[in-house]
Amino acid sequence: MHAAPASPALVKIAVAQMTSVNNSDVNFQTCASLVKASAAMLFLPECHSFIGATASESLGQAQQLNGPLMTAYQELARSNALWLSLGGFQEVGPDPAHLYNTHVIIDSDGELVSRYRKIHLFDVDIPNGPVLMESNTTAPGDEAVVCDSIAGRIGVTVCYDLRFPELYQTLTWGMGATLIAVPSAFTKMTGEPGQDRVSS
């Protein structure tokens, strides 16, 4: 766990929204364009690096956290001297049929200081809508994670985790989180009803 200053000064953070596509190079350039010199930390959404047209396409994009794409994000953080919260990166999973949906935090030196694998997978049968089964191609994590950062102690989560309050009780009351990050990539049908109550 990365040590934060004992009494961090007021810092400016940026929370970005973007429309990811099935091209990691294009998405990286979009993320790079969102970097603001005045912000100490930038929070990017789930699937910031890639969103596949099919599940197999996403599986094919999965990389190790020491792979070339994460290395590029580490250099982006280092060269701009800011922290990055990277929601929902496709990390190589435990077997060829599954990846991890991983929230990564990188410090301003370009060091990967936190890795959280999404615990609660988005398996839903929407009335009059699609059946969505994230677990078909994604393996769940099994560990709650906090990260000391320039912005405070962050409870590190991803999207559908938000439906499970016991995780947030653990992160705040049990692990001392003062800030909760929930990077999300809602579907149109699931996102619209709550968009006035939940910011992604």
Side-chain angles (χ1 to χ4, degrees):
M1 185 180 298
H2 192 79
S7 299
L10 186 66
V11 297
K12 183 182 288 187
I13 64 172
V15 179
Q17 292 187 329
M18 60 186 285
T19 301
S20 299
V21 297
N22 59 343
N23 184 314
S24 58
D25 293 333
V26 169
N27 293 329
F28 180 82
Q29 292 305 317
T30 299
C31 292
S33 73
L34 292 168
V35 171
K36 304 297 182 186
S38 60
M41 187 166 188
L42 172 64
F43 291 79
L44 292 166
E46 183 183 23
C47 301
H48 70 281
S49 60
F50 188 87
I51 192 160
T54 64
S56 61
E57 192 175 23
S58 292
L59 275 171
Q61 287 294 310
Q63 293 188 15
Q64 301 285 354
L65 295 185
N66 60 356
L69 187 54
M70 187 57 66
T71 299
Y73 280 99
Q74 289 178 269
E75 175 57 24
L76 181 65
R78 188 200 63 76
S79 62
N80 288 279
L82 87 164
W83 287 63
L84 286 176
S85 166
L86 305 176
F89 182 83
Q90 288 92 357
E91 181 191 1
V92 170
D95 60 69
H98 295 85
L99 53 75
Y100 291 116
N101 187 347
T102 303
H103 184 168
V104 172
I105 295 180
I106 300 170
D107 72 12
S108 56
D109 293 324
E111 296 296 322
L112 196 157
V113 295
S114 180
R115 179 206 70 195
Y116 166 75
R117 293 168 173 164
K118 184 179 180 183
I119 294 172
H120 303 100
L121 302 181
F122 188 58
D123 288 356
V124 295
D125 184 351
I126 300 170
N128 302 312
V131 176
L132 301 168
M133 297 294 293
E134 187 177 17
S135 64
N136 284 347
T137 54
T138 302
D142 59 7
E143 181 182 6
V145 173
V146 296
C147 175
D148 287 325
S149 78
I150 195 168
R153 176 164 285 186
I154 301 172
V156 188
T157 70
V158 178
C159 198
Y160 194 57
D161 284 326
L162 191 63
R163 300 282 187 173
F164 299 87
E166 63 276 9
L167 173 60
Y168 297 90
Q169 292 168 354
T170 296
L171 292 170
T172 54
W173 300 339
M175 302 174 75
T178 58
L179 172 70
I180 300 292
V182 195
S184 302
F186 288 111
T187 67
K188 180 177 176 60
M189 187 169 289
T190 60
E192 283 184 343
Q195 66 185 1
D196 59 334
R197 298 187 300 276
V198 179
S199 173
S200 62

